[in-house]
Amino acid sequence: MSKNTRVPGYMQSKAARNTRGIIGDREIRFKCSLQNTILDVLRGRPGWQEVPGPNIQQQNSQQNNKPAAGSQTSTQPQDGKGTKTGDGDWDFYWCDREWLHQNYDTMFLHEHQKILHFRNHYELTRKNLMVKNLKRLKKQTEREQGKSEGLSFDFHPTTYELPSEYHIFVEEFKRNPGITWIMKPAAKSQGKGIFLFRRLKDITDWKKGEYQPLTDTTREVPETYVVQRYIENPYLIGGRKFDIRIYVLVVSYNPLKVWLYRDGFARFSNTRFSLDSIEDAYVHLTNVSVQKNAPDYDPEKGCKWSTMRLRQYLTAKHGSEAVKKVFKGIDNIITKGLQSVQKIIINDKHCFEMYGYDILLDSDLKPWLIEINASPSLTASGKEDYELKFGLLNDLLNVLDLENRLTGKEKRIGGWDLLWDDGPVLADDGNMECTTNGTSVTTANSFLGCHNDRKRQLREIYTSAQAIKKT
């Protein structure tokens, strides 16, 4: 094997992954609470050093076994004012949401530290809050700019929150007899707790007693659900339903600065689509966590297409103009979603967020927003999936640029394109084109599903940035 051949993380020895060089005057120190592709990326990055310490499970165990009153034991250093410093020996922490919720409010972050997740990221990623925030921004837009501008928010299905909007939902249900609805827990992922129904009595047992005032203070508050009108005419390929996983990086909410990754994938159901069997999850839910349990699931193929392959297929079948309209609509969904929480999210220069947007196309090629994930899966289902996620995460670190190797004015870094920077970003003419059947797109700086020559591009921007800094 040649010296320059990169072996996937799951095939490397620990010693090979820990080989690092030095960047600047010292190594960049990182912590990571996950054991998947992101840990491979961090351990394999030149000049980065893992900080030993308890993982999240151990921290939870420590918190559940607190010392007795009067004990001087402390699991984290403090700044002399009783404020936790967040184990201040790290520069970068890929933490999970639970750790952030437990520690952020009492933690002091140093100037140089970067951490995954904004404090109240759930304003966009909880299904009920996402819809509430989108509806609020739509109403504000209609007041300020007119009803016609409100049409740009018509990308999520009719949705109600249960139990609080149950009676309003019943009125809507009776106005539209015979259609299919889908129930989703507001705060769960991976397809857990989701089911379809067509009759109110199908949810009688589920809702029984949950919509009355809580006169019994010992009774638990019912779990929040959203009920949505099910999209009964999804776009099908080979007779199967799919959705598109899109990666979006937000490095600031004030001002709003958004990056869109070129690569993603379409996730297909394992069974041909039909409305005759609404109880069959393998037909209607495209989540990998659901589909991998199907009897004939192929873990190597994983029922996935790259976004490039999907874009090529759609272009061959419908033409470049129709596809351009589809992807422009996806850009609109991304930006409107983020703008709906821009004034609500607690902006912190130490924080960043990588979202996983799930988009569904209907038979008219209209994109619909299904949900937004704050912790999209980074566990690879196969070799191609691993390569995609390894490049995605490596380039995310390149965008954050803890090594200070870039100028800060770049519009593209590896596979990430700058979509929004306190306003829409336009592509440089002739510089970053997405060519499909001879047609070039040189307007918005958005290239989802386009060719991703990330390694060559990285060499070019680092060489250019170095030359600029020398002058």
Side-chain angles (χ1 to χ4, degrees), residues 399-414:
V399 171
L400 296 179
D401 193 27
L402 271 68
E403 300 94 339
N404 192 28
R405 295 185 294 169
L406 298 172
T407 65
K409 298 180 179 180
E410 290 81 5
K411 289 186 178 180
R412 180 186 174 194
I413 301 175

Side-chain angles (χ1 to χ4, degrees), residues 260-295:
L260 173 63
Y261 200 66
R262 293 190 174 201
D263 289 342
F265 50 84
R267 306 179 298 185
F268 287 82
S269 63
N270 209 58
T271 308
R272 293 177 68 87
F273 181 79
S274 170
L275 285 172
D276 296 334
S277 53
I278 63 172
E279 73 284 348
D280 190 342
Y282 300 139
V283 172
H284 301 283
L285 305 184
T286 59
N287 309 67
V288 174
S289 54
V290 172
Q291 294 295 328
K292 69 181 181 181
N293 296 315

Side-chain angles (χ1 to χ4, degrees), residues 88-151:
D89 58 348
W90 52 266
D91 305 301
F92 179 90
Y93 193 179
W94 192 282
C95 69
D96 58 26
R97 292 169 294 173
E98 289 74 16
W99 185 93
L100 189 83
H101 295 163
Q102 293 168 6
N103 295 278
Y104 180 89
D105 290 337
T106 57
M107 184 172 58
F108 172 80
L109 289 172
H110 297 286
E111 181 71 20
H112 61 280
Q113 290 180 304
K114 283 285 185 183
I115 191 168
L116 177 65
H117 300 310
F118 289 89
R119 172 63 181 87
N120 55 337
H121 59 83
Y122 48 80
E123 289 285 351
L124 186 61
T125 56
R126 279 183 62 106
K127 300 177 184 68
N128 58 326
L129 298 181
M130 178 192 79
V131 172
K132 181 190 75 173
N133 289 319
L134 282 168
K135 286 180 177 178
R136 185 183 61 250
L137 182 59
K138 178 181 179 180
K139 289 180 180 178
Q140 178 185 336
T141 301
E142 289 176 340
R143 284 197 308 268
E144 297 176 354
Q145 303 178 38
K147 289 283 186 179
S148 60
E149 290 298 319
L151 297 176

Side-chain angles (χ1 to χ4, degrees), residues 292-303:
K292 69 181 181 181
N293 296 315
D296 54 347
Y297 177 78
D298 185 339
E300 189 59 34
K301 292 182 180 178
C303 294

Side-chain angles (χ1 to χ4, degrees), residues 194-208:
I194 297 178
F195 62 93
L196 279 64
F197 67 96
R198 292 197 182 106
R199 301 173 300 178
L200 275 180
K201 69 178 184 179
D202 292 340
I203 61 171
T204 300
D205 292 338
W206 174 86
K207 78 175 185 65
K208 189 176 182 180

